Amino acid sequence: MADWFGPDRPTQSVGFHAIKRASLAEILRLPDPLLVGPGDPRRQLAYVQNYAQELGCETVVLEQHYIDRDHMEDHSVFYSKNLRQYRNSCQRLHFFSLDERKLRAEIRRLRALALPSAGSKESFATACEEFSRSHYIGFAVIKPLPGCPVGRTVLRCLPPDSGKSHRRHLDCAYDAEAHLLGLRLTVRGLPFQQQDLGVSACATTALWTSLQGARQLEQAGSVTPAQITIRASQFALPFGRSMPSEGLSLDQMCQAVHSLGYSPTLYRTEGASEDLPRALLQSSVSSGISPVVIMRSLDQTTRHAVAVAGTATEHPTEVQAPPEMRHASADLVALYIHDDRYGPYLKADIASRSGNFLLRLPLRNGEVSRTEEWIPTHILIPIHPKIRLSFRGVYTTGLKVVSDVQAFSEERLGIKKPAASWSSRIVRSHVYIESLLGDERTAPLVERFCESVPLSRYVGVLHVEAQSLDPFDLLLDTTSTERNLNCSAVVRFGKSNQDNSLYQFIADQYQCKMFV
């Protein structure tokens, strides 16, 4: 009697492989796709391997059977309807910075800690976390699609200190979980995957990455590429049918974000001064929200979309004369982007040409190096619907606040030509309070602050530093607007000999309470 389940009844196996002995394509035994050369669809896979090895990967563990929600959804709406049968299951790779012998020994040691005689569940969980921090580099889902195998991939972020002239800020990353051989593993990163031109093109994949980060702020449900494409094409099809995907227009991208429960904030950056796009990108990333950058080639023949995972800034310097109003984004030198054509955490240098904000992507393919240049035309930031005061609104408010600080310092405090800098971000109110608790200068203020200041779910934070003055935060109610702005509090950091007159002035000027 024939097997009721058919010939493809799922089986499982887990294999250990030394990454230096074979490429990932060889370990996976990937077939060559038709029409497309083998180097092109495997560019992302090679990038993942090189990235993992740069972080010290020695061993790859391969799960032969893994159910991935994104691929299952894509399979349901698209690949299951193909004449050729594609599997609805995937494979998954795990990357470790131990050789096979040591890795197997560590796995046995950790599993032994789960026994009731060895300790508590909490001690086992703690041991798994410590092991992950020390040796787990991340995972990559491999889809059964020879032309676009790289599915949901989360790799550990690059370290903050680059060892060069800049510092990395990968604030859009979060802790992702994976389970292997009974262990719960965690890795801090931002998910990446390759577009397939069936369910998703670059805009869909960039939005998918951005929304993976945004949902962590509210613990919202996960979103798949298929869901994004379907929601985006509900009411408009400017490029024809939605699948196979021909890409998304700006309207469709905004429609998808809105229908998935977020508010799309779209900014046109082409032709604007460099200050605004820099400030929007820096503010969004420092808030933990991954912005999507829509850009065009210099000859205007190609458009592309990428998700921003982080920024790179010059090492901070003290604020000095001559007088200036300097936003934190002035130190921005590069973005770290997820580009579905290449891989995650790709460094894009910030430059300028003919007054346009420019991104330069240094790329390497074997021995050949080249640089792509793109002009960002729009920035799309998905935010919580309760946030009504946009990143642009927080930034422009900061311009006014810093101007007030400079004027008061010169006229009332006798500080001639005071230089000032500020940063702007939007965060959950409880996250901000926790940051006060973690600072010795403000921890004593927290109880009084919590007992007297009502906060919106998200607060806009303007952090101002001026020459010869203690820094302070001005908190903005994000449920208000620029025209009818509501401020919550002024919080002073530090207790120098200077009196409270400046902070009281700001509190009076913006009709809020002062905490010093």
Side-chain angles (χ1 to χ4, degrees), residues 433-444:
I433 293 171
E434 288 169 1
S435 72
L436 296 181
L437 278 173
D439 192 314
E440 293 181 355
R441 298 171 295 176
T442 53

Side-chain angles (χ1 to χ4, degrees), residues 17 23-32 42 62 64 91:
H17 304 269
S23 69
L24 294 183
E26 291 169 338
I27 292 171
L28 293 162
R29 299 180 180 178
L30 293 181
D32 291 334
R42 295 179 186 173
L62 171 61
Q64 285 289 351
Q91 301 178 80

